[in-house]
Every structure is written in C-alpha cells, then in structure tokens.
Amino acid sequence: MEYQYDHVTHESLKPFVPQGCQILILGSLPSIATRAANFYYAHKTNRFYKALAGVFEEDEPLSIQERKEFLTRHHIALYDSIYECDIHASSDASIKNVVSSKPILDAIRKEHDIKAVFTTGKASYDVYRKYIGDDNILLPSPSAANAAMSLDKLIEAYRVIVGYIKD
C-alpha cells in the first residue's frame, strides 16, 4: 500500500525542560494532535498522563498548564528522539528518512542533571539506539494503539521512573 507522506519537523514544538528536571522521556515524533495542541502526548486517547498520574498517585492533569506543573513537580522533561522525518498521518510504522534529535538531546543533558532517559514505544527506542546512544530505557507506548497493555500494566511499567528521581 502506498501512503501519502508528510515531512514533519520539530521546529515549532520545543523541548519541555523544566529547571530541576532529572529524567527525560522521549516519544518518537509529535503526533498530529500534539502538533495542533503544541504540547506533548495531546491525543485524547493517549494514556501518558493517566499512567504518570497513577505512578504518582495524583489526579490526571488535564490542561496543558496542569501538565506542565505536574511534569515540573516530578522533575520530568519531554522531547522526542526524532527531529524530522517523513511520516504517514501519525503512524510510527510509516516513519522513514529520519533525522535524530541528538544535538538537542546532547544540549539538554549537558545543561541539566538528567539521571535517566526513557523512550515511550519501540520506534523511539530504536531511533535512540541507532542514532543517539544505548543508555535509554524502554517504556511501553501509552498510545491507545497499544491496546494489549492495560492502564494498570502501563502504570506498573512506568513506576520504574520513580527510582531515578531524587527530591
């Protein structure tokens, strides 16, 4: 099947890197919904914030401002492994012609005391390993497309991040 590809870059969506961040969580590339909202994991069926809320035993942050405050409070920075690529819709399986985010990620790590890098899903994990380094920890994708992973299992898998955060 031949797809219609779009060339997507990260130019408009900057890394979210709060002062005091200690862990960096990377997706693959901003989805259409994320680009429209101008903040990470914005698709209404994505379970990223539900999973993190479960890990920290808090209410799910709903607005972008609440999400930023939540991430800041828990020392979490967000970005993506891919800086630009060709992609069909928001399908990680269709990604080709990848340019990694390595220079930006290197700068973040130089300026902040990042204790661990996590990648959400296999596409982000594989891109990170191929172009950036082998020091990332794979988390399951929070996408609704990962239907085999219940929210409870997702929360349990995401609990690993707590061990890398020091107050």
Side-chain angles (χ1 to χ4, degrees):
M1 174 179 240
E2 187 59 34
Y3 292 120
Q4 172 66 39
Y5 281 85
D6 293 312
H7 187 77
V8 177
T9 70
H10 237 297
E11 289 180 15
S12 64
L13 187 60
K14 303 300 181 209
F16 178 75
V17 186
Q19 285 302 319
C21 61
Q22 297 176 17
I23 65 167
L24 177 58
I25 300 178
L26 305 172
S28 55
L29 184 77
S31 68
I32 293 168
T34 290
R35 293 192 308 268
N38 201 31
F39 200 66
Y40 297 91
Y41 302 97
H43 195 281
K44 64 185 176 199
T45 63
N46 192 293
R47 301 171 296 167
F48 181 75
Y49 295 103
K50 285 183 189 317
L52 286 179
V55 166
F56 293 105
E57 298 178 355
E58 294 185 22
D59 291 336
E60 178 187 359
L62 299 175
S63 71
I64 290 173
Q65 186 59 39
E66 288 173 343
R67 289 173 176 183
K68 288 179 178 181
E69 291 168 2
F70 177 92
L71 295 165
T72 300
R73 187 168 57 253
H74 295 294
H75 312 288
I76 300 171
L78 300 179
Y79 198 52
D80 289 303
S81 296
I82 299 172
Y83 180 75
E84 68 181 278
C85 70
D86 296 325
I87 188 170
H88 169 70
S90 293
S91 170
D92 280 356
S94 72
I95 292 172
K96 62 183 185 178
N97 302 321
V98 169
V99 175
S100 80
S101 296
K102 183 175 179 11
I104 296 165
L105 297 174
D106 287 348
I108 291 169
R109 293 183 83 175
K110 184 177 180 181
E111 294 173 24
H112 300 273
D113 186 22
I114 301 296
K115 303 203 180 340
V117 176
F118 296 89
T119 45
T120 58
K122 186 118 172 63
S124 180
Y125 179 83
D126 290 345
V127 166
Y128 190 97
R129 292 275 168 148
K130 182 174 182 178
Y131 298 103
I132 300 165
D134 63 359
D135 62 336
N136 63 327
I137 300 164
L138 175 63
L139 294 173
S141 171
S143 169
N146 185 10
M149 176 78 52
S150 70
L151 179 58
D152 286 342
K153 287 182 181 178
L154 201 60
I155 291 167
E156 195 56 39
Y158 277 52
R159 283 193 200 287
V160 68
I161 68 173
V162 174
Y164 294 90
I165 299 170
K166 310 292 183 236
D167 280 329

